[in-house]
Amino acid sequence: IMKNTFKIIGTAVILLGLASCVKDLDVKPIDPNIVQDFNQEAVFAKIYGTLGLTGQTGPDGDGDVDGLDEGTSSFYRMMWELNEFPADEIWWVWDSDVGLADIRACAWTSSNPLVKGLYYRLYFDITLCNLFLKETATASDENTTRQRAEVRFIRALNYFYLLDMFGDGVPFVTQVGVVPDKITRTDLYNWVIAELQEIEPQMYADDGTKPYYRVDQAATWLLLSRLYLNAKIYTGTEDYDNAALYAGKVIQSSAYELAPIYKHLFMGDNDKLGAAYNDAWKEIILPIAQDGVQTQCWGGSLFLIAASHSNGMNPWGSSDQWSCFRSKPTLVNKFFANPSSAGSGDETTLPTKAKDDRCLLVSKGFTLTGGATSGDDAFTKSWGIAKFSNLHVSGEATHHAQFTDMDVPLLRKAEAYLTYAEAVHRGGAQTGAGTALDAVNELRKRAHAPEWTAADLTDANLLDEWAREFFAEGRRRTDLIRFNKFAGNVNYNWEGKGNTPEGQNVDAKYNLYPIPYSDLMANPNLKPTEGF
C-alpha cells in the first residue's frame, strides 16, 4: 500500500462498535452521516492506517475515537506513552497534561483518561478488523485471502497489546455487534499464537516481494518470538525454545538485514531504497507509514520528533519544537557509568565518547539532576534525546515543513537478535542462528560498540542492551517486567517512580493497566482488574 492510500476519505463503511466500549468513548463510523456499501480496498487501507492515523481529515477533525483529543488518540502515541512514561527511560515534562503525571509515577487508576484512551483505541481497531473479516468471509480469491490474513495479523497485534498491558479478563470478540465476554490472559495468549500460526502460510513469503507497507511471514515470526519470550509473564510457564526458534527464523530471513547505520532508521527517508538514500528500510519489518503531506497526525513520528526537540539542539526536520520529553538519568547511565566524563556533547559527538553509535543523546545545555517536575526548566534536567530527526540522508528537503516523513519502525529485525540472545541465555535451544553471544554482537558491531565476551552475557547487561538498542521505541515497560525490574519489591528505581524524585518501589498491581471503570459499568461480563 502506498503512502497516499492511507489518507482514507470518510465514505468507506459504517462500523458497528463493541457494545462494551461505546458508552463512554463512542466508536465513530467512518462517516456518520452517510450509509455506504462496504468498500473492501478502502477498509483494508484504513486498517493499516489505524497504526498511524487518528481520523478521517488529517491531523484534526472527525477523529476515530470520541472523548479524547484527537492528537493523543493515536494507536502508536498512546501505546508508546503507556510503555515509556512509567519506565526508566523517558521523562514527560508537562504535568498539566491530564492523566500523565499518574502514568509517570506508576499511580494510575481505572479512570485514568490515557488508560481509557488506549483501551478504546485498541478495541476500535479490533472492531474494524472484525468488520472486514465479516464482510469478506465468503470470498476466496487470492487477493482477499491474503488481505484477510494481514487483517487477522493486525487484529492479533492489537490483542497482543491488550494481553501485555491489560492482562487477565479483557473483553474478547471476533464478531461485530455483540457484547463480548472476558477472556483469561492464558487463553488470550494461546489464541494469539494459534491465530498467527494459522495465517502464516497465507501471508506474503519472506522473500522481499511484499509491498513495503504490508506484513509478511517474518512479521508473524517476530511477533510470535515476542510472545514466547514473555510467556512466563503471560501464562506462568516459560517457552524460551520457541522464542529462540521464531527469532532465529527472522535472523535467518534473507528478506531483511540490519541497517548499516543505526541513526538512519529514524530519519525522514528511512523508506527509500537506492544509493542516494540510507537503506534503513531493509531492517524494518512493519513500518507505520508517515509522510508530511499524505499522513498528517499528531501521534506518529511528529510526536517523537517535535516532543523531544527544543531550541539549542541541532536542526531536525520539523518546524515544531514541543520540548515535552527528555531522558531520565537512568537512560544516560546505560551509555556512561560516569556521565560527567562525557562533557558537553550532542548526537554528533556523544556516540564516539560512548563508543556506541546508539548514544543519540544531547548533554550540551542540559544537566543530569533529574527530579524537576514540570515546565521548560524540567526539560533540561537530564539529557535530551536526538534519536528521531526526520532529516533526509540524501539531503533532500522534507515533504512538509511541519509534519514528518519518518516512518515509525514498529517491528524491526534488530529485535530478533536480542530476543534470540535472551532466550538462549535463559535456556532456550540454540538454532542455526548461532549463539546468544553471536546475536548480541551483531548489534554491537553495527553500533561500533565493543563486542561482548561470554562473561558479559548476564541478565543485567541484557536488560541494559535492550535499552541501548530500543530506547524510546515504546517497549521498555514490557522488558522491565520480564526482568522483574518494574513494579513490586524489585529495588530498581528511577526518577519519579512512586511519585518521589529518586524513585521508590510501587505495588505489583502496576505491572498491569486496569480495565476502565466505564467499561465495567457498560458490560456486566467484565470484572475489575485485580487491585483496582
Side-chain angles (χ1 to χ4, degrees), residues 53-132:
L53 298 177
T54 55
Q56 307 309 314
T57 58
D60 302 296
D62 202 14
D64 291 332
V65 182
D66 278 351
L68 283 176
D69 173 81
E70 184 179 340
T72 65
S73 72
S74 160
F75 157 84
Y76 182 74
R77 178 170 175 173
M78 301 197 76
M79 177 277 292
W80 189 98
E81 289 179 344
L82 268 62
N83 271 323
E84 290 290 350
F85 289 150
D88 63 344
E89 295 179 344
I90 305 299
W91 180 269
W92 184 263
V93 168
W94 298 103
D95 284 349
S96 58
D97 289 1
V98 178
L100 257 167
D102 286 340
I103 298 296
R104 199 177 59 195
C106 294
W108 50 81
T109 70
S110 61
S111 297
N112 184 281
L114 296 177
V115 174
K116 288 197 297 182
L118 176 64
Y119 180 87
Y120 289 122
R121 161 54 70 179
L122 293 172
Y123 279 111
F124 171 88
D125 297 351
I126 288 168
T127 303
L128 188 58
C129 292
N130 286 340
L131 178 68
F132 182 92

Side-chain angles (χ1 to χ4, degrees), residues 58-60 291-299 301-302 305 317-320 322 390 398-406:
D60 302 296
D291 180 275
V293 175
Q294 299 291 346
T295 58
Q296 296 180 354
C297 80
W298 307 106
S301 60
L302 177 65
I305 291 160
S318 171
S319 58
D320 276 14
W322 301 350
N390 197 49
T398 57
H399 298 167
H400 192 280
Q402 178 184 23
F403 292 98
T404 52
D405 303 327
M406 186 201 99

Side-chain angles (χ1 to χ4, degrees), residues 16 25 38 50 60 89 115 146-147 158 194 203 223 344 451 458 476 510:
L16 299 174
L25 295 175
F38 176 78
T50 60
D60 302 296
E89 295 179 344
V115 174
R146 181 170 285 150
Q147 286 186 349
N158 281 274
M203 306 279 279
L223 188 52
S344 179
E451 293 184 38
T458 66
R476 186 58 174 174
Y510 292 110

Side-chain angles (χ1 to χ4, degrees), residues 386-399:
K387 182 172 183 174
F388 312 103
S389 77
N390 197 49
L391 299 174
H392 287 224
V393 176
S394 65
E396 294 177 4
T398 57
H399 298 167

Side-chain angles (χ1 to χ4, degrees), residues 143-155:
N143 178 60
T144 301
T145 298
R146 181 170 285 150
Q147 286 186 349
R148 285 175 56 83
E150 293 175 45
V151 169
R152 290 170 68 184
F153 176 89
I154 300 297
R155 182 176 65 176

